[in-house]
Amino acid sequence: MPNFSEGRDRATVQSILDAVASTSDVVCLDHSMDPDHHRAVLTFCGTPEAVVEAAFRAIRTATNLIDLRSHIGVHPRVGATDVVPFIPITGTTMDDCIQLARRLGSQVGHELEIPVFLYERASTRADHAPLEAVRRGGLEGLAFRMASDPNWAPDFGPARLHPSAGAIAIGARPPLIAYNINLRSTEVDKARAIARAVRHSNGGLPHVKAIGVDLPSRRIVQVAMNLTDHQATPILTAFQAVQAEAARLGIDVAGSELIGLIPQAALQHTATTALQLDRFDASRVLETRISEMLRCKTAPEQTVAEFLAAVADSKPTPAGGSVAALVGALAASLGVMGARLGRQPDAEQRLLALSRNLHRLVQADAAAYNELMAAYKRPKHDPERAQTISVALQRATEIPLQIVEFSCEAARFLQPLQAAAKLPVRSDLTVGLTLAIAAGQAGLFTVTTNINTQQNHALMDDFRGRISKVTEILEELKVLC
């Protein structure tokens, strides 16, 4: 979902779109441009190799057509192509997206001579991970840090800004919601005050980034937000918080807008909450039910009996990781039951998502193990053998780590549900809590086993931070259990 510093010249944006569309196996899903933000956002999807190629073509086109030296807009930016996040959707993992971000960064740095900073999940330095850290102080601030601080050397490309294209942040992240709320006011200071009140960094809503900006072409001001975890802070919650702060200052909301696309689950949660629907989940949506039935018809899932037989077979997969994922999914499902009985819709929706994610990882873990075994079987003289093993090991570590993280999150939702539940349900939720902790502990054993054979030290450092965090959470949960 690349963002470009051009929101006024349609011909330039069309040229960038054409560059993406010229790539095979890529589909353009959406684009938008705004003259006040002076920014365009594209959303396209495709196979991993094709998406990297499309992104490079778009960046090259933007570099040729956009000159930051004459750019004026209200949105923070450091590049003609400002930010390029890779987002896993179907059949890919965050680990895959990290590799794609690094591959694109290397190509951009070497061929276009633009400094590239890896951010979010792809970052190689903790202080580069937040996008706002890269943008701090704008172009001048970034140029100063690059010249004076060795820690701010780019991951790829020259250690100086490109004369007209600046720099680029390339990374990997989960889907976020770019959501703006327009206010019937021309006082930008008040919009900034509202943004300060609601954003996470100032003690506001979790996982919300917000700025207040002036929109002179519309004679209004705006609170522009990124919701980086719509499960933690639903879009309705963000809207209501801004509306309340605006009312306190005597300002009416003029409307709101989405930039790019929004996950279906985010709108489902909003509808469920606003309508106070009981026991609602995605399977009640007509299109979702049709899609699930068609998928089951073309690729039927294993029954429990078939899965047990497959685990008991002498083949190496499915095995420990898949079993841990299934146990975690069962634990989260028990939590869904408890949340429904306790009428806690937010917990219900998140636990339902966790159960589905863990269920998906049952097959993903087996596939990752098979890929690793195939990598080890490559001929010893194959020059790509070491790199193939490293990538396969990374995937075989990332997936069980996701199992641990999802299981820990399920346990953290289950614990307060269990403590507050009536006695007949409390025993079921205790089972769920125990299973979630066990799934996390089992997944962690696989993670630590695999990481000890990884030779890529940058990846090992990234994993170790996450391992330390989940280990601490598991120890806390064991005490509570």
Side-chain angles (χ1 to χ4, degrees):
M1 191 179 287
N3 291 216
F4 301 92
S5 296
E6 178 55 69
R8 299 168 187 169
D9 188 336
R10 291 191 178 276
T12 295
V13 174
Q14 187 59 52
S15 295
I16 296 171
L17 283 166
D18 291 343
V20 172
S22 69
T23 312
S24 300
D25 298 325
V26 166
V27 176
C28 222
L29 300 175
D30 184 71
H31 75 277
S32 63
M33 54 189 293
D34 184 278
D36 295 310
H37 286 261
H38 205 351
R39 193 171 186 82
V41 179
L42 273 61
T43 305
F44 56 88
C45 67
T47 60
E49 295 292 337
V51 167
V52 171
E53 176 60 26
F56 181 77
R57 292 184 186 185
I59 294 168
R60 183 174 56 196
T61 302
T63 302
N64 292 334
L65 298 177
I66 299 172
D67 190 338
L68 281 188
R69 290 171 292 193
S70 58
H71 183 279
I72 299 174
V74 299
H75 201 290
R77 79 284 180 275
V78 293
T81 303
D82 185 51
V83 56
V84 183
F86 287 87
I87 303 161
I89 302 296
T90 301
T92 55
T93 66
M94 185 63 70
D95 176 58
D96 297 328
C97 289
I98 290 169
Q99 296 304 314
L100 298 180
R102 291 173 178 170
R103 190 186 313 167
L104 177 64
S106 176
Q107 187 177 8
V108 169
H110 289 110
E111 295 187 29
L112 302 182
E113 296 187 337
I114 300 173
V116 175
F117 292 87
L118 296 172
Y119 83 107
E120 283 282 355
R121 301 290 180 85
S123 67
T124 56
R125 303 177 181 95
D127 54 348
H128 292 192
L131 183 57
E132 56 268 29
V134 179
R135 287 187 182 145
R136 188 173 65 250
L139 274 170
E140 296 78 9
L142 181 59
F144 176 78
R145 290 193 297 280
M146 291 171 68
S148 61
D149 186 349
N151 188 50
W152 276 93
D155 293 283
F156 303 103
R160 51 176 170 72
L161 296 177
H162 186 282
S164 61
I168 302 179
I170 299 178
R173 61 163 175 78
L176 63 74
I177 300 172
Y179 180 55
N180 303 333
I181 298 178
N182 300 324
L183 306 175
R184 295 190 191 281
S185 172
T186 56
E187 299 179 80
V188 71
D189 287 347
K190 290 186 176 180
R192 289 170 180 161
I194 294 169
R196 282 195 298 272
V198 302
R199 66 185 172 221
H200 189 186
S201 61
N202 286 97
L205 300 171
H207 303 284
V208 171
K209 300 179 181 182
I211 57 173
V213 296
D214 185 24
L215 304 182
S217 70
R218 291 187 254 178
R219 297 180 182 176
I220 57 174
V221 293
Q222 181 183 82
V223 177
M225 295 182 287
N226 280 345
L227 312 184
T228 59
D229 185 344
H230 66 82
Q231 299 283 355
T233 298
I235 189 170
L236 180 61
T237 302
F239 175 82
Q240 291 171 337
V242 171
Q243 185 180 48
E245 287 294 324
R248 190 175 61 81
L249 297 176
I251 300 173
D252 292 331
V253 170
S256 64
E257 61 187 27
L258 290 169
I259 304 301
L261 305 180
I262 183 172
Q264 183 180 9
L267 290 180
Q268 285 174 189
H269 182 276
T270 297
T272 303
T273 304
L275 299 175
Q276 298 183 20
L277 291 174
D278 289 335
R279 301 185 183 182
F280 180 85
D281 62 60
S283 66
R284 303 287 294 279
V285 177
L286 174 63
E287 290 83 357
T288 302
R289 182 68 63 85
I290 292 172
S291 177
E292 288 178 349
M293 296 305 292
L294 288 174
R295 185 171 64 250
C296 288
K297 189 172 182 179
T298 56
E301 294 188 17
Q302 286 179 311
T303 64
V304 173
E306 289 169 340
F307 180 75
L308 293 175
V311 171
D313 200 352
S314 57
K315 296 177 182 177
T317 59
S322 296
V323 170
L326 183 59
V327 169
L330 289 168
S333 294
L334 282 169
V336 173
M337 176 196 70
R340 285 174 173 171
L341 291 172
R343 295 187 176 276
Q344 296 194 35
D346 289 347
E348 174 192 335
Q349 291 298 316
R350 185 54 186 156
L351 283 162
L352 193 60
L354 289 168
S355 179
R356 287 175 175 156
N357 285 333
L358 284 160
H359 187 202
R360 172 179 55 81
L361 292 176
V362 172
Q363 294 299 324
D365 184 82
Y369 182 84
N370 289 334
E371 289 172 14
L372 179 60
M373 291 301 101
Y376 278 128
K377 289 177 181 176
R378 292 181 78 135
K380 294 284 178 68
H381 57 78
D382 186 341
E384 296 185 356
R385 184 177 187 269
Q387 176 63 18
T388 303
I389 291 173
S390 178
V391 171
L393 258 176
Q394 185 178 1
R395 183 171 170 81
T397 307
E398 172 68 28
I399 288 175
L401 185 51
Q402 287 182 18
I403 293 170
V404 181
E405 290 170 337
F406 287 146
S407 297
C408 285
E409 187 177 354
R412 295 181 91 167
F413 272 96
L414 275 155
Q415 196 277 325
L417 289 172
Q418 178 239 24
K422 294 180 180 179
L423 192 59
V425 181
R426 190 179 304 162
S427 62
D428 295 318
L429 295 179
T430 302
V431 170
L433 179 57
T434 305
L435 290 178
I437 295 171
Q441 198 69 51
L444 188 58
F445 179 79
T446 302
V447 171
T448 53
T449 300
N450 289 347
I451 198 173
N452 287 335
T453 57
Q454 175 63 263
Q455 299 299 312
N456 188 322
H457 294 290
L459 292 177
M460 289 168 68
D461 290 342
D462 179 50
F463 280 132
R464 284 195 177 112
R466 293 166 65 189
I467 291 168
S468 177
K469 183 177 180 180
V470 293
T471 301
E472 184 178 335
I473 292 170
L474 282 168
E475 292 304 315
E476 291 174 358
L477 288 168
K478 287 177 190 175
V479 173
L480 291 172
C481 189

